[in-house]
Amino acid sequence: LRFDFDANPALYGVPELDRHAARLLLLAERVLEDAGRPLADLELLTPQERELMLVQWRGRPQTVTAASLPAQLECRALQQPEAVAVRHRDGQLSYGQLQAQVDMVAALLVADGVMAGDRIAIALPRDPLLLATLLAVMRLGAAYVPLDPDGPAQRTAWVIEDAQPRLLLLDQADEARIPAHGVRRVHLPQAVRDFGTVVLQRHGRQDDQASPDTSAYVLYTSGSSGRPKGVEISQSNLLSFLQSMQQELQLDRSSRFLAQTTLSFDIAGLELYLPLLAGASVVLADQSEIRQPRRMAELIAEQAVTHAQATPSLWRMLLSARQLRLDGVHVLVGGEALGRELAAELWRRGRRLSQLYGPTETTIWSTIQHLDSLPQAVPPIGRPLANTVLYVLDPVLRPTLLGAVGELHIGGLGVARGYVGRPELNAERFIADPFAADGQRIYRTGDRVRWREDGCLEFVGRTDNQVKIRGHRVEPGEIEHRLESHPTVAMAAVKAWRDERGELALAAYISSREGEVADPGILRRYLAGYLPAHMLPSSLQVLPVLPLTASGKLDRKALPAPERPEGGQYEAPVGPLERQLAELWQDIFGHGPVGRHDNFFELGGDSLTAAQMMTRLSDRFGTELPLGTLFESASVAGLAARLQDGTASQDDPLAPVLCLRRGGQQLPLFCVHPVVGLGWAYAALLRHLDASIPVYALQAHGLRDLS
């Protein structure tokens, strides 16, 4: 090995070859050192790679301010009492006024017996009092637990039962929507109006009881068991994150950060707290404004917003508003995979774009990637924030090779305290850092990533989100991104469903851009130009809007069941032969009814199901029918007619030229066979092409002899 590489100096200077050469030499040396050791146990990283991945690419250390977030706000109120802290539809609130509300709410909570370590459930309207309440709860050393009044009652009941809050703070108008579970309720807006000043005079200003170890909030996320689980974030977790983001975004007193995310989604913490930490303004969108693209676009313009954060799904919705202008806005996007097309569109609109990534369990965001030019590919999720450690590890917790896919593990000061009351799950997801000897923990994200040469992370997918369609692995996100690149599509979602036979099939859902009408037929043909047959959805539905969760993410569970693929106006089969064929197709596709003019391939048929159908047809009718007949007569009525009049195609399905569709006025399309030599797979292409185009498949010679 040494001789080979020493004899080829031209290889040097090419990083990939240099690295592989060094690894081969290292591996050879270790094999010689211990010839009896299994190869799987050998260390494959070069010393240079270990230095990069475990030292140089860690987030830079940063000292976290000892003062709590409420204490820092109090200092801001003394320094700039007249500066605008919160901008809202009903007006604005200065730092001095916001601090007065914090004092008042804190006094009310103390009067109700709230102490450090308590949990306080919050279901308040989106107005400045909400922000004051969150700060007051944290000042007392308690943790807030967000509830969604519009969410499912059962889920809210589970959260209350699990969190065991001392109080539930809500508006009287939402009383009936929050399940009763024996928790004392306080109608906070009314209490502030009626008793706030009196209680504050009686109890005085409350000292800051927060410490780095006290919890700031408990946020409930989806659980694999079907019940939500509460992630407990400490004051130090939150402060470290906010200071790291201030280093990245550099907000100043003139900045205006749009707060449009519901409190039950953790990224709301960035929108609400970072502006206050920097002495800037929070532009607080109320419930009547969020999820309305036109109104949000107007709000961004009216309030001269400088920073706006949203998920890709929500950004697609906002981009559908023609009024949206992002000039001068630093666009932040995260929470879902960001495709190249959306990234390019956002960059063109504002020229200031950053992608963020991070699970709730590591405090909002953990990585950032600033996009300084028009994205030409799917952007990476970037580098770690300060005080964040990233590891890409294999199943036995060893670092993967540079460029190899592994599971992302996150350490550092953002790692949450854990899940409330879930010791077994904590032991599974929060584990000891194998590269630290001081008892630090890392969180297993379940996300598949890889390191790039430049020290950025690329997101590959979840460890559990791939599906198999007819033996092929499919990433639904790829189909979604392709659909969303079409000019008529605002948002797209692809979901795998099990049909009545228990087999997986892909269903696509889209919403149209404002002023456009998405056509399923055109989109099917568009997809066929980019994707292989097994990735083409069996059904494609146009919805007015795609459902979103309260946090602005696509709500896949709320997507409707796939509609029966369109096959034109339904007409019942005529005669016993057509009825038998329709029943056969219903059995094959697992849905019905099938009409006499429905097309086999438009119903989702492909070369595999065509071969299956012809075999079953032969068993049922005792007639051998060439496969070419189905290609030429793909409807129930057409195939029945060919069976009745005996004019079944004599085309040899193994001939060098296979006719898939005759006739038509346009130039014919000739499809060259794939590596196996057969051209049958192109039958699935027919439903995506104009009916006036003749189609032929060129097949390998000698297939008949091989059969």
Side-chain angles (χ1 to χ4, degrees):
L1 284 170
R2 287 187 186 282
F3 176 82
D4 181 48
F5 285 105
D6 289 343
N8 290 275
L11 291 174
Y12 292 98
V14 182
E16 187 74 15
L17 295 177
D18 283 349
R19 190 169 62 251
H20 290 321
R23 183 174 294 116
L24 284 170
L25 292 173
L26 182 66
L27 178 61
E29 291 172 354
R30 288 175 176 167
V31 168
L32 293 175
E33 290 172 359
D34 188 356
R37 189 177 182 184
L39 286 175
D41 293 343
L42 295 176
E43 173 63 74
L44 298 183
L45 289 181
T46 65
Q48 294 81 6
E49 287 176 327
R50 289 188 68 86
E51 172 70 16
L52 284 175
M53 296 183 195
L54 302 182
V55 179
Q56 294 187 26
W57 290 347
R58 297 167 67 102
R60 59 191 178 280
Q62 174 182 266
T63 302
V64 180
T65 304
S68 70
L69 178 61
Q72 292 186 58
L73 171 63
E74 187 173 356
C75 290
R76 282 287 178 190
L78 293 173
Q79 296 169 358
Q80 51 184 84
E82 303 302 323
V84 178
V86 185
R87 300 174 186 273
H88 188 252
R89 184 183 63 173
D90 297 331
Q92 57 191 38
L93 214 64
S94 70
Y95 273 85
Q97 291 170 325
L98 177 61
Q99 184 60 45
Q101 284 200 3
V102 172
D103 293 341
M104 191 176 299
V105 174
L108 283 168
L109 295 178
V110 168
D112 257 304
V114 174
M115 298 181 294
D118 287 341
R119 296 184 188 131
I120 309 299
I122 293 180
L124 293 170
R126 293 182 60 85
D127 59 29
L129 181 60
L130 170 64
L131 183 52
T133 302
L134 302 178
L135 294 164
V137 170
M138 287 190 286
R139 180 204 272 185
L140 298 178
Y144 63 84
V145 182
L147 299 179
D148 182 6
D150 297 320
Q154 182 58 64
R155 189 183 194 281
T156 302
W158 281 338
V159 170
I160 294 174
E161 178 184 347
D162 190 72
Q164 294 294 301
R166 174 180 286 271
L167 291 178
L168 169 56
L169 307 180
L170 73 166
D171 188 86
Q172 190 169 6
D174 294 323
E175 175 71 34
R177 295 195 289 169
I178 304 295
H181 278 276
V183 179
R184 173 168 162 70
R185 296 168 176 240
V186 175
H187 298 149
L188 190 65
Q190 182 177 346
V192 169
R193 290 192 298 267
D194 295 345
F195 312 114
T197 304
V198 174
V199 171
L200 179 58
Q201 291 172 349
R202 182 181 303 163
H203 291 272
R205 290 188 68 263
Q206 304 301 310
D207 294 333
D208 188 3
Q209 301 296 317
S211 71
D213 293 332
T214 56
S215 296
Y217 60 83
V218 177
L219 195 85
Y220 278 79
T221 65
S222 298
S224 57
S225 64
R227 291 179 67 109
K229 55 184 184 291
V231 182
E232 193 169 9
I233 300 296
S234 71
Q235 294 266 359
S236 61
N237 291 151
L238 182 58
L239 270 179
S240 175
F241 164 74
L242 293 173
Q243 289 184 194
S244 299
M245 287 302 299
Q246 175 60 10
Q247 278 195 0
E248 298 289 345
L249 300 182
Q250 294 293 304
L251 270 66
D252 57 33
R253 295 188 180 189
S254 65
S255 300
R256 299 183 181 189
F257 207 126
L258 177 63
Q260 63 176 333
T261 306
T262 179
L263 190 60
S264 57
F265 189 18
D266 66 332
I267 71 174
L270 177 65
E271 303 168 352
L272 295 173
Y273 304 136
L274 183 60
L276 300 181
L277 197 67
S281 296
V282 178
V283 178
L284 186 61
D286 66 20
Q287 200 65 35
S288 67
E289 293 169 323
I290 60 177
R291 304 294 182 270
Q292 295 190 41
R294 181 172 300 176
R295 185 65 194 100
M296 291 302 297
E298 293 170 352
L299 181 64
I300 290 172
E302 291 168 2
Q303 295 291 347
V305 166
T306 62
H307 295 76
Q309 170 189 245
T311 62
S313 296
L314 192 51
W315 274 121
R316 291 186 194 99
M317 178 184 289
L318 294 175
L319 287 172
S320 67
R322 293 180 177 177
Q323 301 89 341
L324 182 65
R325 297 291 181 269
L326 296 177
D327 300 337
V329 179
H330 191 154
V331 172
L332 306 174
V333 57
E336 295 171 308
L338 175 62
R340 185 195 67 81
E341 291 83 3
L342 177 60
E345 178 68 14
L346 289 171
W347 190 88
R348 291 190 193 99
R349 295 286 190 103
R351 303 299 176 97
R352 298 177 66 202
L353 173 64
S354 298
Q355 176 171 212
L356 296 151
Y357 160 86
T360 301
E361 290 84 350
T362 58
T363 312
I364 308 179
W365 302 125
S366 298
T367 72
I368 190 167
Q369 177 71 24
H370 300 296
L371 302 176
D372 300 322
S373 60
L374 181 67
Q376 302 299 321
V378 174
I381 58 175
R383 295 178 171 85
L385 297 174
N387 291 333
T388 301
V389 180
L390 307 179
Y391 300 121
V392 184
L393 306 179
D394 65 16
V396 293
L397 302 183
R398 294 179 306 188
T400 60
L401 302 180
L402 186 61
V405 175
E407 183 180 358
L408 177 60
H409 295 65
I410 302 178
L413 297 187
V415 178
R417 301 181 69 172
Y419 300 114
V420 173
R422 305 288 289 274
E424 294 181 0
L425 188 57
N426 285 335
E428 175 188 340
R429 306 303 296 183
F430 296 90
I431 62 175
D433 186 338
F435 309 102
D438 55 0
Q440 295 182 29
R441 298 173 306 141
I442 56 176
Y443 172 70
R444 308 180 71 153
T445 67
D447 288 329
R448 298 165 62 241
V449 299
R450 58 174 160 240
W451 286 114
R452 298 196 325 183
E453 294 277 355
D454 58 0
C456 288
L457 276 181
E458 281 187 347
F459 178 81
V460 177
R462 287 288 301 172
T463 57
D464 53 3
N465 76 335
Q466 286 185 344
V467 296
K468 277 197 171 184
I469 304 295
R470 301 198 303 272
H472 297 276
R473 289 187 299 178
V474 173
E475 292 281 358
E478 183 178 354
I479 308 171
E480 293 168 355
H481 293 157
R482 181 52 55 192
L483 282 167
E484 288 165 356
S485 67
H486 194 275
T488 64
V489 176
M491 290 181 61
V494 175
K495 184 174 181 178
W497 294 83
R498 292 200 177 273
D499 59 24
E500 295 175 8
R501 299 166 295 162
E503 295 181 3
L504 280 177
L506 294 173
Y509 307 84
I510 62 164
S511 62
S512 300
R513 287 184 181 271
E514 186 178 20
E516 302 286 350
V517 178
D519 183 283
I522 293 175
L523 290 173
R524 288 192 183 98
R525 291 193 289 273
Y526 176 76
L527 284 180
Y530 293 94
L531 302 176
H534 65 268
M535 293 186 69
L536 298 176
S538 298
S539 69
L540 197 155
Q541 295 173 235
V542 180
L543 304 177
V545 293
L546 266 59
L548 301 179
T549 65
S551 59
K553 291 186 178 181
L554 178 69
D555 189 356
R556 295 183 183 276
K557 292 182 179 179
L559 291 169
E563 291 181 348
R564 174 180 171 273
E566 296 180 3
Q569 183 72 27
Y570 175 78
E571 185 175 339
V574 175
L577 183 55
E578 288 189 10
R579 285 194 289 270
Q580 289 182 70
L581 283 173
E583 290 171 2
L584 176 59
W585 289 15
Q586 287 175 201
D587 186 43
I588 288 174
F589 294 115
H591 58 68
V594 172
R596 68 189 308 261
H597 296 302
D598 286 346
N599 185 288
F600 182 87
F601 298 106
E602 290 181 355
L603 290 173
D606 53 40
S607 58
L608 297 180
T609 51
Q612 174 193 2
M613 197 276 291
M614 299 305 277
T615 300
R616 295 178 62 176
L617 187 147
S618 176
D619 292 340
R620 176 171 295 193
F621 297 103
T623 302
E624 290 288 339
L625 201 64
L627 192 60
T629 302
L630 182 61
F631 297 144
E632 291 188 7
S633 303
S635 69
V636 168
L639 190 58
R642 303 297 289 274
L643 284 169
Q644 286 176 325
D645 63 18
T647 60
S649 170
Q650 299 304 310
D651 283 356
D652 182 358
L654 300 179
V657 179
L658 174 65
C659 177
L660 299 178
R661 183 163 64 198
R662 297 184 191 277
Q665 305 302 314
Q666 299 192 46
L667 291 174
L669 173 66
F670 291 87
C671 305
V672 180
H673 66 78
V675 67
V676 294
L678 289 168
W680 300 359
Y682 292 111
L685 186 62
L686 296 179
R687 66 181 184 269
H688 305 289
L689 296 175
D690 192 286
S692 64
I693 301 176
V695 182
Y696 297 85
L698 304 182
Q699 303 190 115
H701 287 272
L703 289 175
R704 171 60 65 190
D705 295 335
L706 292 175
S707 66

